[in-house]
Amino acid sequence: MSVVLRNVRPWGAQATDVMLDGGAIAGMGAALPAPPGATEVAGRGRILLPSFSDVHVHLDSTRLGLPFRPHTGSPGVWNMMLNDRQNWRNAEATIAERATLTLGAMIERGTTRVRSYAQVDVDAGLERLEAVLAAKQEHRDRADVDIISFPQAGLLREAGSPEVLEEALKLGADVVGGIDPCALDRDPVRHLDIVFGLAEKYGVPIDIHLHEPGQLGLFSAELILERTKALGMQGLVTISHGYGLAELPAGQLQDLVDRMGALDVSMATVAPAGAPLPLQQLVAAGVRVGLGQDGQRDYWSPYGNADMLDRTWQLAFTSKFRADQLIEHCVAVATVGGAAVLDPQAPRLGSVADRPGLAVGDPAHLVLVSGDSVTAAVMDRLPDRTVIHRGTVVADNLALV
């Protein structure tokens, strides 16, 4: 069935009508005639954007919708993992219920493309993966969800960890994960042997958490790039976080960024406090960059609210951006940038001024937001949003205004 969006402003430009058909944008222009049986959506002058792509979220640990609890974690990835391990089974709702609720809230706020982690280890087994698979199934017509088989506890510290990581891929995980090959497992060669070996065996992409600082992070990143090149996995590897990269001397950073662009290794950021990723440098080198919310009010952190527009504001703020073009670039990263991380064949950002995703023929994954301009929409983050997935309206929050 066709859908006609009336009086919308693509990327904040002049108002027009937009025709959707067959899950794609089929036409644009003033006063488009509606085909028989078409659904008409009142845009009311709102801004039309590609829908958000959350490329780094932990649906298996969310506590959104549950009573707020004090933060009990202590610093360090291993310590935080142990804190989560001590608490996640005692929540007031099952993981499947929590993941399903949070994914639904994300969709209502404009996210229709998701890459979620599911922790698999010798403690949780496949229980957390099965819960995220259930949430994905529940919202299968409202969002596209890829699931990462994620070894949060590492692969070498506990016997049996590689085996459960592989079992998750057999069960239906779409991506194989890794984490801090040096700092956590302290044997980057064996860690990457396992991760890249499983990716080759099952024909899946790779997503590696990299919390490691400075030169240690650079060392791990270089090993990841070497494996990517040696195995011909260009376009199939993502480095998430990459906190230490922003701490590198200018020459080292530029060399690394150039190599990432040449090997088509993408990045996912959660816009953390501290030194921000060099977004302008990354886009200039052709590196695909996406945004995510990370954990959402879970046992790791009290932050997160299922709203990628909020996280886009955070990306602009932590990047110290004030110019409209740069703030709009953050929106582009959060939408089509993330879509390109999920699908290397999707349209990419070629510069900070690039605003793809709303041309005839592009997929109809869209969101309408309120605001005088794109920058104003980021600053105000109003709840009046209409969300479209594969050309169908899947959420309309007008009632919340």
Side-chain angles (χ1 to χ4, degrees), residues 22 24 69 75 125 137 248 250 370 391:
R69 67 183 299 281
Q137 175 66 16
L248 297 175
S370 296

Side-chain angles (χ1 to χ4, degrees), residues 378-394:
V378 174
M379 297 301 114
D380 294 337
R381 304 182 300 286
L382 299 174
D384 179 10
R385 306 178 200 179
T386 301
V387 187
I388 296 163
H389 182 57
R390 300 178 193 159
T392 299
V393 175
V394 295

Side-chain angles (χ1 to χ4, degrees), residues 61-398:
S61 65
T62 176
R63 283 185 53 88
L64 288 180
L66 300 184
F68 201 89
R69 67 183 299 281
H71 179 62
T72 54
S74 56
V77 170
W78 184 254
N79 291 331
M80 293 292 288
M81 186 281 300
L82 290 177
N83 179 65
D84 177 270
R85 186 176 280 185
Q86 291 166 4
N87 287 285
W88 68 268
R89 287 187 174 91
N90 301 321
E92 298 87 338
T94 68
I95 302 177
E97 290 168 339
R98 289 182 275 145
T100 300
L101 182 146
T102 295
L103 180 57
M106 292 166 61
I107 294 165
E108 289 167 4
R109 289 156 178 79
T111 297
T112 69
R113 291 168 286 198
V114 177
R115 177 181 273 186
S116 174
Y117 297 86
Q119 181 172 327
V120 293
D121 58 27
V122 296
D123 171 70
L126 302 177
E127 184 175 346
R128 296 169 73 138
L129 170 67
E130 290 167 343
V132 180
L133 284 168
K136 174 180 178 176
Q137 175 66 16
E138 180 67 24
H139 292 292
R140 63 190 179 278
D141 296 325
R142 305 178 72 210
D144 295 329
V145 180
D146 288 344
I147 303 175
I148 303 169
S149 172
F150 180 49
Q152 180 73 77
L155 289 169
L156 307 176
R157 298 177 68 127
E158 298 175 315
S161 296
E163 288 76 13
V164 73
L165 188 69
E166 182 168 7
E167 286 301 313
L169 294 171
K170 294 177 182 178
L171 188 63
D174 307 285
V175 183
V176 61
I179 180 170
D180 295 340
C182 293
L184 187 59
D185 271 344
R186 302 185 180 185
D187 191 339
V189 173
R190 286 182 63 201
H191 185 99
L192 295 177
D193 277 348
I194 295 167
V195 173
F196 277 84
L198 288 173
E200 278 197 296
K201 182 176 180 179
Y202 291 93
V204 295
I206 290 170
D207 188 305
I208 298 180
H209 269 55
L210 201 57
H211 308 97
E212 297 169 349
Q215 296 301 312
L216 188 61
L218 174 62
F219 178 69
S220 288
E222 288 178 333
L223 292 180
I224 292 167
L225 296 182
E226 289 174 5
R227 296 292 183 110
T228 301
K229 182 177 181 179
L231 298 176
M233 292 194 66
Q234 291 88 337
L236 298 174
V237 177
T238 300
I239 295 176
S240 281
H241 294 313
Y243 294 143
L245 305 190
E247 303 169 1
L248 297 175
Q252 284 186 332
L253 177 59
Q254 187 61 58
D255 177 68
L256 180 65
V257 166
D258 288 341
R259 291 170 61 193
M260 290 179 65
L263 292 170
D264 200 11
V265 170
S266 61
M267 291 207 71
T269 183
V270 298
L277 283 181
L279 292 183
Q280 297 171 79
Q281 207 168 342
L282 288 164
V283 72
V287 178
R288 293 171 290 130
V289 181
L291 180 65
Q293 283 218 80
D294 210 2
Q296 300 189 69
R297 197 168 292 183
D298 57 13
Y299 301 105
W300 290 70
S301 164
Y303 295 95
N305 64 354
D307 192 345
M308 278 289 288
L309 192 54
D310 268 6
R311 191 54 59 116
T312 303
W313 178 93
Q314 183 172 317
L315 179 63
F317 183 79
T318 57
S319 298
K320 300 179 175 62
F321 290 161
R322 297 191 181 195
D324 283 6
Q325 184 184 67
L326 294 177
I327 293 171
E328 288 185 12
H329 177 61
C330 292
V331 179
V333 167
T335 57
V336 290
V341 170
L342 299 175
D343 177 7
Q345 304 305 316
R348 302 180 176 209
L349 299 176
S351 73
V352 295
D354 201 7
R355 304 289 180 264
L358 297 182
V360 172
D362 285 337
H365 305 308
L366 309 167
V367 60
L368 288 166
V369 298
S370 296
D372 297 330
S373 66
V374 174
T375 297
V378 174
M379 297 301 114
D380 294 337
R381 304 182 300 286
L382 299 174
D384 179 10
R385 306 178 200 179
T386 301
V387 187
I388 296 163
H389 182 57
R390 300 178 193 159
T392 299
V393 175
V394 295
D396 190 340
N397 289 336
L398 179 60

